């Protein structure tokens, strides 16, 4: 049997049908919006008519006649009054609109499951917020949780996202250990795997708990809108800083709050220490700082103690003086950096004595980036050579007036190998990757106000500048552009920021590190 051809409307595909359904849905939505007032009034008229019928049916039969007479008299009076019918119609329409409005019931309290969760959290806090001597305790077993909890919000899964807790005045909220116990309990009872922000109001005896949204991880390295002497360490929460930067996240422009680190002679935190686990993003941070320094016309020295070759993309670029991976080259590089710092100090001092501005070559920023220097120190000592870190004392102690900035990245396992000079003069601190609260407090000097999680993306951590607060941090994605395992768009963004390669041997400072490549110029 021959197959009959399909009708034209079915053989032309589903595209026209989909367009037709979209058009019909759009037309229906538009008609609903236009006719919404009429629909409301019509619903109100039905409500009034139904109420009138109920009232008439409830009226006794012997009183219906007088009621009709009274109604007819009212209609006659309204008809005789000037503008009476118009005012009566307007009153009827207003009453219909009022009775026909949307009366969706508003949720005024928690559901049974949410109330049970709040009750269990209240019972868990009783041992911490009550004492036997309190005659009327705010927290007591079997007490009312709504007297202590307010401002609660839940997500779709029924977990807390926001809560305000009122606690008694005798609770020792001024002690860090007491606050830490409460925060650990709330973290465990409210759901693990999320970051909670704890805001203690010691004057009002209130604690605000809120779940923080994840920081953006799709912001790649790009030319940030900053002035010379400012470097973007990463991005944080909107309520932590009073500044935003325009950036591109993929192809979408956004305004995000940055953590800006200021360097130079007027900086109170001229040097930086970054600590993390392997793969936490410390190398990404150093590459990001190097690209920003080169963009503002600075010179960069890189010492890669890990020897992984993650900074090979910067080798031979304009402004990059050296990229060293061996102990011998690291000693020569840091020795030159120490002598260059001394030369700059002498030149600046003599210029000021003569009443002249500082020479131009002393005002050009010099960045010394060290990734895992403890490895090179161990190799140098094993080979019987000098420790490269001994040459880092001069740039750390006297680098601020000489426009010399030192950035050290190290792992948690090797922190005991860092010299005391590094700890004393790196007042800007960063912790990246998964870490405990005590580990973060040991590096930053303060525990974070949030609960760290065990699973974080690379470049995620905490930052503290000097004596300021602890900020959540997400470092811009700055991968090694020669690593094909990374995101192609992020690799391309780094390649576009790299300076041009130097043509020819270039100046003496740009030659490869060797026996005489970094000979320090004679002091004036």
């Amino acid at each position: 049997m021959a197959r009959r051809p399909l009708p034209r409307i079915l053989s032309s595909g589903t595209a026209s049908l989909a367009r037709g359904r979209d058009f019909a849905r759009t037309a229906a939505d538009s008609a609903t919006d236009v006719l919404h007032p009429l629909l409301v009034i019509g619903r109100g008229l039905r409500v009034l008519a139904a109420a009138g019928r109920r009232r008439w049916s409830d009226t006794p039969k012997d009183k219906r006649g007088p009621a009709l007479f009274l109604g007819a008299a009212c209609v006659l009076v309204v008809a005789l009054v000037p503008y009476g019918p118009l005012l009566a119609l307007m009153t009827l329409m207003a009453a219909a609109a009022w009775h026909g409005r949307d009366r969706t019931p508003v949720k005024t309290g928690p559901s049974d499951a949410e109330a049970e969760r709040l009750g269990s959290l209240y019972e868990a806090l009783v041992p911490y917020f009550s004492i036997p001597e309190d005659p009327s305790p705010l927290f007591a077993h079997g007490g009312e949780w709504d007297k202590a909890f307010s401002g609660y919000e839940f997500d779709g899964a029924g977990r807390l996202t926001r809560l305000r807790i009122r606690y008694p005045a005798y609770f020792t909220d001024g002690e860090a250990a007491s606050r830490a116990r409460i925060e650990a309990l709330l973290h465990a009872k409210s759901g693990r795997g999320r970051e909670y922000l704890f805001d203690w109001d010691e004057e009002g005896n209130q604690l605000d708990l809120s779940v923080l949204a994840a920081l953006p991880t799709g912001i790649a390295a790009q030319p940030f809108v900053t002035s010379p002497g400012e470097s973007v360490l990463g991005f944080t929460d909107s309520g932590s800083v009073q500044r935003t930067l325009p950036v591109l996240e993929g192809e979408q422009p956004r305004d995000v709050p940055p953590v800006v680190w200021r360097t130079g002679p007027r900086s109170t935190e001229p040097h930086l220490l970054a600590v993390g686990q392997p793969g936490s993003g410390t190398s990404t941070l150093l590459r990001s700082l190097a690209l920003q320094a080169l963009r503002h016309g600075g010179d960069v020295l890189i010492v890669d103690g890990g020897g992984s070759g993650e900074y090979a993309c910067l080798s031979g670029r304009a402004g990059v003086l050296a990229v060293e991976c061996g102990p011998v080259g690291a000693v020569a590089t840091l020795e030159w950096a120490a002598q260059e710092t001394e030369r700059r100090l002498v030149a600046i001092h003599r210029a000021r004595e003569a009443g002249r501005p500082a020479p131009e070559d002393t005002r050009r920023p010099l960045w010394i980036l060290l990734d895992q220097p403890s490895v090179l120190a161990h190799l140098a000592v094993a080979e019987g050579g000098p420790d490269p870190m001994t040459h880092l004392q001069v740039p750390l102690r006297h680098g601020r007036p000489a426009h010399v900035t030192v950035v050290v990245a190290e792992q948690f396992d090797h922190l005991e190998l860092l010299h005391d000079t590094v700890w004393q003069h790196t007042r800007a601190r960063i912790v990246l990757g998964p870490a405990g609260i005590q580990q973060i407090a040991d590096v930053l000097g303060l525990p974070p106000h949030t609960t760290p999680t065990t699973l974080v993306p690379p470049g995620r951590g905490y930052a503290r500048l000097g004596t300021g607060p602890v900020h959540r941090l997400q470092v811009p994605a700055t991968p090694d552009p020669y690593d094909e395992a990374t995101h192609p768009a992020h690799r391309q963004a780094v390649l576009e920021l790299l300076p041009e390669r130097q043509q020819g041997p270039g100046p003496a400072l740009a030659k490869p590190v060797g026996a005489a490549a970094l000979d320090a110029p004679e002091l004036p």
Side-chain angles (χ1 to χ4, degrees):
M1 180 184 295
R3 298 179 58 185
R4 298 179 59 185
L6 293 173
R8 181 178 180 83
I9 188 173
L10 297 179
S11 62
S12 59
T14 61
S16 59
L17 294 176
R19 287 195 299 268
R21 286 194 298 267
D22 293 340
F23 177 77
R25 188 180 298 110
T26 304
D29 294 340
S30 301
T32 302
D33 294 338
V34 172
L35 299 177
H36 181 70
L38 297 178
L39 296 176
V40 172
I41 293 175
R43 185 165 57 246
L45 291 175
R46 289 197 304 271
V47 172
L48 293 176
R53 286 196 301 270
R54 288 195 302 270
R55 185 65 179 271
W56 180 259
S57 61
D58 295 339
T59 302
K61 294 183 178 181
D62 57 343
K63 294 183 180 180
R64 291 182 180 180
L68 289 175
F69 177 77
L70 179 61
C74 293
V75 172
L76 180 61
V77 171
V78 170
L80 296 177
V81 172
Y83 303 104
L86 180 60
L87 293 176
L89 181 61
M90 294 174 59
T91 303
L92 178 62
M93 294 297 103
W98 174 257
H99 288 279
R101 70 189 187 278
D102 188 9
R103 297 186 178 184
T104 303
V106 180
K107 183 180 178 181
T108 58
S111 61
D112 295 339
E114 295 171 351
E116 183 178 358
R117 182 179 290 269
L118 290 173
S120 63
L121 183 60
Y122 174 84
E123 293 289 336
L125 290 173
V126 169
Y128 300 91
F129 285 150
S130 63
I131 58 176
E133 295 81 6
D134 192 352
S136 57
L138 181 63
F139 284 81
H141 291 294
E144 300 178 0
W145 59 262
D146 54 352
K147 294 182 179 180
F149 295 164
S150 62
Y152 43 82
E153 295 180 8
F154 293 86
D155 58 9
R159 298 193 300 176
L160 272 172
T161 59
R162 186 176 298 275
L163 178 64
R164 170 165 291 184
I165 303 173
R166 186 168 64 93
Y167 55 87
Y170 52 76
F171 176 72
T172 56
D173 52 3
E175 299 179 2
S178 300
R179 294 197 303 267
R181 287 194 296 268
I182 298 299
E183 293 174 1
L185 175 64
L186 293 175
H187 182 206
K189 293 295 184 180
S190 301
R192 300 183 182 273
R194 300 183 297 175
E195 286 192 84
Y196 295 89
L197 174 65
F198 300 99
D199 186 9
W200 291 85
D201 182 8
E202 299 179 5
E203 296 183 2
N205 299 323
Q206 290 183 345
L207 169 61
D208 288 334
L209 176 148
S210 58
V211 177
L212 296 175
L215 295 176
T217 59
I219 302 177
Q222 53 193 281
F224 299 115
V225 184
T226 56
S227 60
E230 292 183 342
S231 300
V232 176
L233 299 178
F235 304 98
T236 184
D237 301 299
S238 57
S240 300
V241 295
Q242 299 179 353
R243 178 178 177 180
T244 58
L245 283 182
V247 298
L248 288 177
E249 185 176 3
E251 299 295 335
Q252 300 295 328
R254 291 185 55 187
D255 287 339
V256 293
V259 178
V260 178
W261 175 39
R262 293 173 177 84
T263 57
R266 298 185 181 275
S267 173
T268 57
E269 303 89 20
H271 310 298
L272 183 141
L273 172 63
V275 183
Q277 302 287 354
S280 59
T282 54
S283 300
T284 296
L285 174 65
L286 263 61
R287 273 191 298 269
S288 176
L289 293 176
L291 292 176
Q292 295 181 62
L294 293 172
R295 176 174 173 266
H296 289 300
D299 294 328
V300 177
L301 284 173
I302 301 176
V303 177
D304 183 11
S308 58
E310 293 190 359
Y311 304 96
C313 60
L314 296 170
S315 181
R317 302 284 179 174
V320 181
L321 304 183
V323 178
E324 267 303 329
C325 300
V328 177
V331 170
T333 300
L334 296 180
E335 183 179 1
W336 176 88
Q339 296 179 7
E340 172 65 11
T341 304
E342 295 175 351
R343 183 196 70 81
R344 291 188 176 202
L345 290 175
V346 172
I348 294 173
H349 179 67
R350 291 184 177 179
R352 290 177 178 175
E353 284 184 340
R356 301 191 307 269
E360 183 64 27
D361 59 345
T362 63
R363 290 182 290 175
R364 184 179 177 89
L366 174 61
W367 288 69
I368 305 173
L369 309 180
L370 298 96
D371 192 356
Q372 302 184 42
S374 60
V375 178
L376 292 179
H378 178 75
L379 293 177
V381 173
E383 295 177 0
D387 187 356
M389 298 296 292
T390 57
H391 300 292
L392 200 61
Q393 298 183 11
V394 175
L396 283 172
R397 290 176 176 175
H398 310 291
R400 184 168 69 96
H403 294 269
V404 178
T405 302
V406 179
V407 180
V408 180
E410 192 52 86
Q411 297 182 5
F412 276 108
D413 299 337
H414 303 151
L415 287 181
E416 67 277 1
L417 301 179
L418 291 180
H419 289 202
D420 293 338
T421 309
V422 176
W423 289 103
Q424 293 173 3
H425 295 279
T426 53
R427 294 174 51 83
R429 304 283 181 84
I430 291 178
V431 175
L432 297 179
I437 294 180
Q438 188 58 43
Q439 288 181 308
I440 299 174
D442 292 340
V443 177
L444 303 183
L446 280 180
H449 294 293
T450 63
T451 53
T453 58
T454 56
L455 298 177
V456 293
R460 171 70 178 82
Y462 298 89
R464 188 188 183 200
L465 304 179
T467 58
V470 178
H471 301 286
R472 288 206 308 166
L473 183 73
Q474 179 63 51
V475 178
T478 316
D480 180 8
Y482 300 155
D483 185 4
E484 297 182 355
T486 57
H487 197 285
H490 296 170
R491 291 166 48 202
Q492 184 62 31
V494 175
L495 291 174
E496 293 176 356
L497 292 177
L498 289 175
E500 297 293 334
R501 292 193 177 274
Q502 293 180 345
Q503 301 296 331
L509 294 180
K511 293 180 181 178
V513 179
L518 288 179
D519 289 339
E522 296 183 0
L523 298 177

